[in-house]
Amino acid sequence: MPLKLDIKQQFLARSDRVKCVDLHPKEPWMLVALYNGNVHIWNHETQQVQKSFEVSDVPVRACCFVVRKSWIVTGSDDMMLRVYNYNTMERVQNWEGHSDYIRCILAHPTLPYIITSSDDLSIKLWDWDKSMTQVQSLEGHSHYVMQIALNPKDNNTFASASLDKTVKVWQLGSNSANFSLEGHEKGVNAVDYFQGGDKPYLVSGADYRSVRVWDYQNKSCVQVLEGHLENVTLVSFHPELPLIVSGGEDGSLRFWHSSTYRLETNVNYGLDRIWCGAMLKGHNSIAIGYDEGSMILRVGREEPAMSMDTTGNGKFMWAKHSEVMQANMKVATLDLKDGERIQLAAKDLGSCEIYPQTLQHNPNGRFVVVCGDGEYIIYTAMALRNKQYGSAQEFVWAADASEYAIRDMGKVKVFKNFEERNTFRPQQACEGIFGGNLLGVKSKGSLSFHDWETLELIRRIEISVKNVFWNESGNLVAITDSSSFYVLQYKADVANSALQSQTNIDEDGVIDSLDILGETQDQVRTGKWVGDCFIYTTNHNRLNYYVGGEIVTISHLDRVMYILGYIPKTNCLYLGDKECSVVSYSLPLPVLEYQTAIMRNDHEAAAHILPSISEDQRTRVAHFLDKQGFKEQALAVSNDADHKFDLSLQLKETKFAFELAEQADNQDKWKQLSELALSKCEFNLARNCMLRAGDYASLLLLATSAGDRELLEQVAELAMSAGQTNIAFTCFITLGELQKCLNLLCDSGHYPEASFMAHTYLPSETCSVVERWVESLGTTSRKVAESIADPIKYENLFPDFQQALKAQSAFSTQHSESTPAVQYPSLPLNINRNLLKELEQEQPVGASVHTKDPDIELDDLDLLDGDEGNGLTADDLNLGD
């Protein structure tokens, strides 16, 4: 969507051709260099010439402020550089800087350098600490060097634009350019760096109507912007807004989106050709130099002009250009999900006499004030009838709906029932005012609170304030600056008592009238109080609320949003974006009150509030309790079965968790519960959970650890049914069920493994398995099948086969017997036995199917050779599950 740009003409001065402009960062001054040889400093607030210098009788093409020295530096067509003190208007120094026209002058922000460029193809650095000694001369361009721009992210590098069709990037201290950017078809007139974010971009404008955006790290052209009808003489990234501003000899000023590169708007004020421009970081103003004069434009505030009445049905008003629209928010938000865009049934209330920059309802919602163009108009909210108007730079409402204040020409005026009641001029220059329970006055580095009725000073605070937010009861206030916000408690009784007795007062007001409750490092964009909860949006697009010293995130927003207000009747918080699109988030008031009580450790009050919280909000409350560490209360409050199950696990409530798992009958839940039961040594519960979860691997571990033969047999059958043959094989071989192991291998087609197992453990089955193996190979490779030897047919290859059959017969009884674990210490290790020798001696000892070493199973025992066996383990049999 296009940007909602409010472009306002702030200043206009007609003059001779303007070749260069600059803005003072601290004073409301614009420096203007003219083709007739004069230089003026205009005060764009008073619209008057502040200073004037007759520099030469030839054109002055370059100038700049040097704020650190209170200087202006000029360059003219007589090749002279001149330095003036703008306070005393005396000329500090002049010298011949170049051998041709001087095109651009910059002051380095940290080093004592003046940097100049000229038609003599050079760029020069002058050190003012050394009486403007030339410290460096850079040459490399083959045509006039029209402009230079410092890199704001690295002040040691700068770019230059030249009519040789290139942009070059230079490093201070180096005599040659780092690299050149080529692509323009004609000479390049202007260049500028991107100041925000991390994009390594610069923009250049050239003859033949072209604007190019460059990635100076990749040294490539990112985008070409087309639209100008004549040569481009001005290009700049706006320091605060996502805009690229370009101007040309066609007299048009174009605004391009710096991310999408879409043309947002195009303005032409009929002052003929554009030659130059200037902008300031932290300001939206743009200074432009034309053939017929100079102008300052203010590209309006990002926050749109919109407001909502939170006392009734949520009448939402917004301005679209000069038209004022209205919609009923209560009706529009029925059955909406959190964050879902609200379809508004807009009603056109008519046109406003001024271009609206802000809209603001008064506390009771009966009136709405529209501010813009240095004026304000108060309308009735229902019919947009003009009730009051006047000139003002700023307007704020008091907590009393009949009171308001304006800031105009350095004065603050307070009105009651639309009649001016008081006027005062703050001791320090007033930079802004804030409404609410007390009248806030912003000065440089401080904020002072005054009583609305008497205008007496309540308290002055040293802070570079950005905004002030009061709660409805007037006892809490949030004060924000550029990086954090502070929550303070206002003690009205202390203030009133001190003012009446004129005691406990110092130069900063009533002592102890404000107590700080907390400081939070978070950048607040907009905020509202709901009860004792401060709800706000951040510069990182989060919607948070502050309660009792804790920050709770409601949602992560996908774009910049501004809080409109909270309506208790709908339990919804409303936000709008710069396009006046509105979304809502459910935020029941009882929930906020409950959380406030919890954070204050007032559990008795929380218990009284809990019944008023609807069932659908209980889980939200439970999650809040969980985060605060009150897990037992969270378990009692939550309605979410999954959340309750997680809490019961954390609290190790196995009985309750079992009931919840039965209701859900979820495999993951049974596994989690089985792990908890094992950790608590509740083996029967663990066994039950593992069976329900189908966790046969864990059951195998449990059965073998407990020596539970019955469970092991059950696991073997279940694993067979589930196709988990590796687990089934392990169970069978642990049980000594050798025939079942062999059948399992054959049924799964693992004939080679089955043959080796039979050869090792069941010699009597060797021939039948080999026969099946040969049969299976006959269909694929007859030659391989014929190479397999049968022990009966090739007895010479199996010399001990007959003895192995006898050993199997002699020890078969021991295979079917279960030896009690109590006999384990007295049994010999299988690895140390030789069954053939025992058979010859007829002295079999112990059970041949059990081992003393837990790492040596039955599969380590070789019936054919006691010293060199081909024992087969379960790990050798990759049966697959």
Side-chain angles (χ1 to χ4, degrees):
M1 295 182 128
L3 291 173
K4 184 179 175 69
L5 293 177
D6 177 18
I7 301 175
K8 176 186 174 183
Q9 180 180 312
Q10 183 181 352
F11 172 83
L12 172 62
R14 292 190 176 271
S15 64
D16 199 351
R17 182 184 303 168
V18 178
K19 297 302 294 182
C20 186
V21 294
D22 194 18
L23 291 170
H24 196 286
K26 297 180 180 179
E27 301 291 340
W29 293 350
M30 177 176 67
L31 180 64
V32 178
L34 303 179
Y35 195 80
N36 62 14
N38 293 331
V39 172
H40 300 311
I41 296 178
W42 286 88
N43 186 316
H44 51 76
E45 286 187 354
T46 64
Q47 313 281 311
Q48 302 294 322
V49 175
Q50 191 81 18
K51 312 280 183 180
S52 183
F53 304 85
E54 295 181 4
V55 175
S56 68
D57 55 0
V58 294
V60 180
R61 298 181 186 270
C63 64
C64 76
F65 281 112
V66 184
V67 180
R68 285 178 287 164
K69 305 293 288 184
S70 299
W71 288 347
I72 61 169
V73 183
T74 66
S76 50
D77 283 0
D78 57 4
M79 288 77 80
M80 297 293 293
L81 289 166
R82 296 176 174 88
V83 180
Y84 296 86
N85 185 306
Y86 56 64
N87 290 325
T88 64
M89 297 185 65
E90 66 176 346
R91 189 171 66 188
V92 177
Q93 193 170 352
N94 69 306
W95 72 100
E96 182 174 340
H98 290 269
S99 59
D100 207 338
Y101 296 164
I102 299 169
R103 294 287 182 173
C104 185
I105 301 175
L106 288 181
H108 196 280
T110 56
L111 299 175
Y113 290 162
I114 298 293
I115 309 173
T116 60
S117 69
S118 168
D119 287 356
D120 64 5
L121 318 184
S122 70
I123 301 169
K124 295 185 179 182
L125 274 70
W126 313 90
D127 190 333
W128 68 63
D129 284 346
K130 298 179 181 179
S131 301
M132 293 300 179
T133 301
Q134 178 183 314
V135 295
Q136 193 171 4
S137 179
L138 305 175
E139 297 180 358
H141 283 293
S142 58
H143 211 308
Y144 303 159
V145 185
M146 303 299 289
Q147 191 176 12
I148 48 181
L150 281 164
N151 187 342
K153 300 169 186 175
D154 179 8
N155 292 328
N156 288 323
T157 62
F158 63 94
S160 60
S162 171
L163 294 187
D164 63 7
K165 308 178 188 178
T166 68
V167 173
K168 292 183 182 293
V169 175
W170 308 79
Q171 185 87 22
L172 294 182
S174 174
N175 292 323
S176 59
N178 293 348
F179 55 87
S180 298
L181 301 174
E182 300 179 2
H184 284 289
E185 299 177 6
K186 289 194 174 182
V188 186
N189 296 310
V191 65
D192 191 33
Y193 277 93
F194 181 70
Q195 299 189 30
D198 54 359
K199 292 181 180 178
Y201 286 178
L202 56 80
V203 61
S204 60
D207 294 337
Y208 199 66
R209 310 182 293 274
S210 66
V211 175
R212 287 178 178 262
V213 180
W214 306 85
D215 184 326
Y216 57 78
Q217 284 188 353
N218 296 332
K219 304 177 183 61
S220 61
C221 179
V222 176
Q223 188 74 22
V224 178
L225 309 179
E226 299 179 346
H228 282 285
L229 304 178
E230 295 293 342
N231 298 338
V232 178
T233 54
L234 162 67
V235 290
S236 183
F237 282 104
H238 197 286
E240 298 298 325
L241 303 176
L243 292 173
I244 297 172
V245 182
S246 64
E249 294 182 16
D250 58 3
S252 69
L253 191 66
R254 296 175 180 264
F255 296 85
W256 316 80
H257 198 290
S258 61
S259 296
T260 64
Y261 307 111
R262 177 181 55 221
L263 178 65
E264 297 293 342
T265 189
N266 173 28
V267 294
N268 192 323
Y269 293 97
L271 297 176
D272 212 337
R273 296 173 292 182
I274 293 176
W275 290 109
C276 53
M279 302 179 199
L280 276 180
K281 187 171 182 61
H283 298 269
N284 286 358
S285 298
I286 304 174
I288 308 294
Y290 291 85
D291 264 338
E292 299 181 8
S294 54
M295 178 183 293
I296 294 180
L297 301 177
R298 183 180 295 278
V299 183
R301 60 204 299 264
E302 279 289 285
E303 187 172 350
M306 57 185 180
S307 180
M308 187 176 70
D309 170 25
T310 59
T311 61
N313 294 326
K315 295 292 185 181
F316 171 56
M317 297 180 67
W318 71 98
K320 187 177 182 181
H321 303 295
S322 294
E323 303 295 321
V324 179
M325 317 293 288
Q326 187 184 72
N328 190 330
M329 200 67 70
K330 183 178 179 181
V331 175
T333 54
L334 296 176
D335 302 324
L336 278 180
K337 297 179 180 179
D338 284 356
E340 184 177 348
R341 181 174 176 177
I342 300 173
Q343 299 297 325
L344 300 175
K347 176 184 177 182
D348 191 347
L349 295 181
S351 296
C352 183
E353 289 90 333
I354 60 177
Y355 193 96
Q357 290 180 297
T358 63
L359 278 172
Q360 187 181 4
H361 281 87
N362 75 331
N364 63 19
R366 293 181 56 196
F367 298 101
V368 63
V369 63
V370 178
C371 298
D373 299 329
E375 298 181 1
Y376 74 92
I377 304 175
I378 300 175
Y379 295 96
T380 58
M382 294 299 294
L384 206 68
R385 293 192 181 95
N386 191 323
K387 184 69 177 177
Q388 181 83 326
Y389 66 91
S391 62
Q393 295 171 294
E394 201 168 1
F395 181 105
V396 294
W397 292 105
D400 183 345
S402 63
E403 285 186 292
Y404 61 89
I406 64 170
R407 177 172 67 93
D408 186 31
M409 301 298 292
K411 296 181 180 180
V412 177
K413 300 178 181 180
V414 177
F415 293 77
K416 176 78 171 181
N417 294 324
F418 306 105
E419 296 291 335
E420 183 176 339
R421 186 175 65 187
N422 282 314
T423 301
F424 79 104
R425 184 185 293 274
Q427 294 179 354
Q428 297 180 341
C430 179
E431 298 179 355
I433 56 176
F434 305 97
N437 192 42
L438 297 175
L439 173 61
V441 177
K442 175 185 178 182
S443 299
K444 186 176 182 180
S446 68
L447 169 68
S448 58
F449 287 113
H450 299 262
D451 182 82
W452 277 94
E453 185 173 353
T454 64
L455 295 182
E456 290 186 88
L457 176 65
I458 302 297
R459 196 65 183 161
R460 180 181 293 111
I461 303 171
E462 298 298 323
I463 184 175
S464 298
V465 63
K466 181 179 177 182
N467 217 329
V468 175
F469 305 95
W470 285 90
N471 70 342
E472 189 174 353
S473 60
N475 67 323
L476 293 175
V477 60
I479 303 174
T480 71
D481 60 20
S482 59
S483 62
S484 58
F485 71 89
Y486 306 83
V487 176
L488 294 88
Q489 182 182 23
Y490 172 56
K491 299 177 181 179
D493 54 345
V494 173
N496 294 335
S497 176
L499 291 174
Q500 289 176 5
S501 63
Q502 289 298 303
T503 58
N504 204 29
I505 297 176
D506 60 14
E507 61 179 4
D508 290 327
V510 179
I511 301 172
D512 298 330
S513 58
L514 288 170
D515 286 342
I516 186 166
L517 301 181
E519 176 187 357
T520 302
Q521 297 295 321
D522 214 348
Q523 295 177 315
V524 176
R525 189 186 299 276
T526 56
K528 294 283 183 183
W529 283 91
V530 178
D532 289 350
C533 293
F534 179 56
I535 306 173
Y536 64 96
T537 59
T538 73
N539 287 354
H540 299 292
N541 295 336
R542 291 191 185 95
L543 177 61
N544 297 340
Y545 67 83
Y546 171 98
V547 53
E550 291 293 323
I551 302 296
V552 179
T553 298
I554 301 172
S555 177
H556 293 266
L557 307 173
D558 60 356
R559 61 192 184 280
V560 176
M561 303 292 288
Y562 307 91
I563 295 176
L564 295 171
Y566 176 83
I567 301 179
K569 291 182 179 180
T570 61
N571 285 329
C572 284
L573 176 72
Y574 298 90
L575 300 92
D577 62 14
K578 59 188 177 183
E579 303 296 337
C580 296
S581 299
V582 181
V583 299
S584 67
Y585 288 87
S586 177
L587 201 65
L589 186 58
V591 173
L592 298 180
E593 293 174 344
Y594 181 88
Q595 291 174 336
T596 301
I598 290 294
M599 295 311 304
R600 293 174 176 172
N601 287 320
D602 189 353
H603 294 279
E604 183 177 350
H608 287 297
I609 298 170
L610 184 59
S612 64
I613 299 176
S614 61
E615 292 295 323
D616 60 334
Q617 295 296 325
R618 295 293 181 94
T619 300
R620 173 184 286 185
V621 172
H623 281 287
F624 171 78
L625 290 168
D626 186 9
K627 289 181 180 179
Q628 302 307 316
F630 302 112
K631 298 188 183 298
E632 292 181 355
Q633 294 94 318
L635 182 59
V637 170
S638 181
N639 288 332
D640 185 345
D642 291 337
H643 187 217
K644 292 171 75 173
F645 181 79
D646 292 338
L647 288 170
S648 64
L649 291 182
Q650 295 176 47
L651 293 170
K652 298 185 178 181
E653 295 286 348
T654 54
K655 184 177 180 181
F656 187 55
F658 182 80
E659 294 175 2
L660 293 171
E662 276 193 315
Q663 295 173 11
D665 196 21
N666 179 275
Q667 187 181 45
D668 290 335
K669 284 184 170 55
W670 287 121
K671 284 185 178 181
Q672 293 177 56
L673 183 54
S674 68
E675 292 173 1
L676 175 61
L678 276 178
S679 69
K680 295 186 68 179
C681 298
E682 298 180 15
F683 298 115
N684 289 333
L685 176 60
R687 172 179 176 173
N688 192 359
C689 294
M690 292 173 185
L691 285 169
R692 296 195 180 207
D695 189 1
Y696 304 125
S698 296
L699 282 167
L700 173 60
L701 175 63
L702 180 62
T704 53
S705 300
D708 191 337
R709 184 179 183 87
E710 181 180 349
L711 177 59
L712 199 59
E713 291 174 348
Q714 184 181 6
V715 172
E717 296 302 324
L718 290 172
M720 280 288 293
S721 302
Q724 299 184 24
T725 51
N726 272 342
I727 293 176
F729 182 89
T730 304
C731 291
F732 287 141
I733 203 167
T734 304
L735 290 165
E737 300 284 356
L738 301 179
Q739 188 61 51
K740 289 184 178 180
C741 290
L742 191 63
N743 293 340
L744 177 59
L745 290 172
C746 292
D747 292 342
S748 59
H750 291 80
Y751 295 115
E753 292 88 346
S755 298
F756 282 108
M757 181 175 182
H759 179 61
T760 305
Y761 297 119
L762 298 170
S764 62
E765 299 291 334
T766 304
C767 295
S768 62
V769 173
V770 168
E771 183 179 351
R772 295 177 66 179
W773 185 12
V774 171
E775 182 181 349
S776 67
L777 285 174
T779 59
T780 56
S781 177
R782 183 173 297 277
K783 186 175 181 180
V784 174
E786 292 175 352
S787 66
I788 297 174
D790 187 320
I792 299 298
K793 296 179 180 179
Y794 299 92
E795 292 186 6
N796 60 315
L797 298 177
F798 303 92
D800 296 326
F801 185 69
Q802 294 301 324
Q803 290 87 334
L805 290 175
K806 293 178 182 179
Q808 177 188 355
S809 177
F811 294 97
S812 60
T813 304
Q814 297 180 24
H815 281 272
S816 60
E817 295 177 353
S818 297
T819 305
V822 70
Q823 297 182 14
Y824 175 79
S826 62
L827 296 177
L829 296 176
N830 283 343
I831 197 171
N832 295 329
R833 297 179 63 187
N834 188 317
L835 298 186
L836 295 182
K837 291 182 179 179
E838 289 182 18
L839 182 62
E840 291 175 358
Q841 299 171 1
E842 295 184 351
Q843 293 178 350
V845 180
S848 62
V849 294
H850 295 282
T851 70
K852 186 172 182 178
D853 189 337
D855 294 326
I856 303 174
E857 302 293 344
L858 176 65
D859 45 15
D860 295 315
L861 187 61
D862 187 359
L863 299 181
L864 299 184
D865 194 325
D867 297 322
E868 296 180 1
N870 291 315
L872 193 66
T873 68
D875 292 336
D876 297 322
L877 309 176
N878 185 16
L879 308 183
D881 289 332

